[in-house]
Amino acid sequence: MALIVVKFGGTSVADVARIENAADKIVREVERGNQVAVIVSAMSGVTNQLVGYCDEVSQLYDTREYDVVVSSGEQITAGLMAMALQKRDVEARSWLGWQIPIRTDETHGKARIAEIDTTEISKRLKKGEVVVVPGFQGVSERNRISTLGRGGSDTSAVALAAALKADRCDIYTDVDGVYTTDPRIVPKARKLNRISFEEMIELASLGAKVLQTRSVEMAMKHHVPLQVLSSFEDHIGSDLPGTLIVEEDDIMEQELVSGIAYARDEAKVTLLKVPDTPGVAARIFEPLSEAAVNVDMIVQNISADGKATDMTFTVSRADLPKALETLGNLADLDDVDIIATEDVAKVSVVGVGMISHHGVASKMFATLAKKGINIQVISTSEIKISVLIAEEYTELAVRALHEAYGLES
Ligand code: ADP
Ligand code: ASP
Ligand code: MG
């Protein structure tokens, strides 16, 4: 008998029929004698709609109220899932974030889980009850509802698995595993049987939304056996070939490049004629960080005259209004021109093989050049290379790179 956490994403609970289908899968796990905790997302499209309502009121909304609104989608599916299980004669009960509680910090909109009190749900699981928990939500130190950032139900699942010391955490989604790139963009993308935590963290943080980055970081830290599988296949459980996220040493044949990721939710900000004096970068980026704006790629040019320089950086599109508001309030930037655009995308090549092989970057640049795609910003780390390009070329770039690195099936 095992204790497992299963998570169903938005498309897997998109309507009542899908919820019933997911409930059937849970029943099969229960019949195998397993204790099952279920994490559910909101029905697909619902969270987007709720975010849309908030944006309609104001682009600079109060994030505590944003959390009240956007957390509501998961509450609906949790209740429906518990009902669907009860209809199947399985003892089931839903537990909202505050009822457990799942404690988070105060960073509303992208809160981090601090602690999960498993006392009550452990008791229920031991009695054979299925515990249904809405993903994405928690409760802050000040007892306000918080949410974990888009895609956060993955993190809810892994955090619950870690807290319960579960034997497995299964992420059911609308694809049957992690692919060399988004199979929706590149139909020839290849399914990976295994991928290392390190590579999955990079792919996820660079835009492969199949898993939220934090969920993978957490699984790595707490040694949670994690797998991604399809909720549309007829089977359930560990005998199903999805993708296992594993330690690097468990991968027999390491490829040079294991995947290509893209992110369209980027925005580029350029500051022209920034005074070239010590400390100016800190005076720009500290207030952004205090406003909880994540800055990603940064380039600063050398000033020709020693007096003024240009600086370009990227933030997520959702953070752009806040970033511009923050920059607008900086006295230092009174004479600086600020140019912002949302028509950009980041395309990245990821692989641990890069550590020991050269030529990966030059192949990327040559491939994009051949397609006439201009590179606006480049950033690299040990196992990835990212470029910022015009958004309209995203698919073209991803397909060309996928082919250039021989990733096709
Ligand atoms: P869920 O609602 O189940 O959480 P998501 O939409 O968040 O599902 O994530 C699954 C989607 O991630 C897939 O439909 C696919 O389009 C996208 N995706 C992006 N990159 C990859 C990749 N490398 N492998 C698999 N899926 C990917
Ligand atoms: N419903 C939330 C979102 O769409 C959380 C999730 O599904 O993981 O971002
Ligand atoms: Mg998701």
Side-chain angles (χ1 to χ4, degrees), residues 3 5 113 116 118 155-169 215 218-225:
L3 197 175
V5 173
I113 295 176
I116 301 181
T118 56
T155 301
S156 306
V158 174
L160 191 61
L164 289 168
K165 299 195 173 53
D167 298 290
R168 234 168 59 218
C169 181
S215 71
M218 202 180 275
M220 178 161 134
K221 185 168 161 205
H222 296 283
H223 305 283
V224 175

Side-chain angles (χ1 to χ4, degrees), residues 4-9 11-13 17-38 81 84-85 88 90 130 168 170-176 229-240:
I4 60 174
V5 173
V6 297
K7 177 250 171 181
F8 291 92
T11 36
S12 309
V13 292
R18 290 271 167 78
I19 292 174
E20 302 259 9
N21 174 59
D24 285 338
K25 290 182 183 294
I26 295 164
V27 170
R28 262 185 277 172
E29 285 291 13
V30 173
E31 283 169 353
R32 287 176 177 180
N34 292 325
Q35 295 178 8
V36 191
V38 183
M81 180 63 87
L85 289 165
R88 287 161 176 73
V90 170
V130 173
R168 234 168 59 218
D170 293 346
I171 306 287
Y172 283 95
T173 183
D174 56 359
V175 283
D176 59 352
L229 16 98
S230 166
S231 69
F232 299 100
E233 307 275 333
D234 211 25
H235 320 276
I236 188 165
S238 53
D239 45 355
L240 212 209

Side-chain angles (χ1 to χ4, degrees), residues 7-12 41-42 44 151 153-154 171-175 177-185 192 200 203 207-211 228 259-262:
K7 177 250 171 181
F8 291 92
T11 36
S12 309
S41 285
S44 69
S153 296
D154 298 326
I171 306 287
Y172 283 95
T173 183
D174 56 359
V175 283
V178 178
Y179 280 70
T180 46
T181 193
D182 189 345
R184 282 179 212 292
I185 285 208
L192 301 165
M200 193 62 237
L203 280 178
K209 65 171 185 158
V210 59
L211 286 173
V228 174
I260 317 276
Y262 65 93

Side-chain angles (χ1 to χ4, degrees), residues 319-393:
D319 281 349
L320 184 62
K322 214 178 342 157
L324 293 177
E325 195 206 17
T326 307
L327 293 170
N329 291 336
L330 296 182
D332 244 352
L333 302 185
D334 271 351
D335 300 322
V336 171
D337 289 332
I338 303 174
I339 305 169
T341 171
E342 298 192 341
D343 300 330
V344 289
K346 183 171 65 175
V347 175
S348 311
V349 168
V350 173
V352 291
M354 264 180 228
I355 300 172
S356 49
H357 292 80
H358 56 84
V360 177
S362 56
K363 180 176 268 185
M364 182 177 202
F365 305 150
T367 305
L368 296 174
K370 224 186 283 172
K371 297 285 178 194
I373 299 172
N374 186 43
I375 298 173
Q376 303 179 14
V377 183
I378 301 171
S379 77
T380 62
S381 78
E382 233 187 356
I383 64 167
K384 73 114 202 279
I385 308 160
S386 301
V387 295
L388 196 73
I389 60 171
E391 186 185 3
E392 58 184 313
Y393 298 125

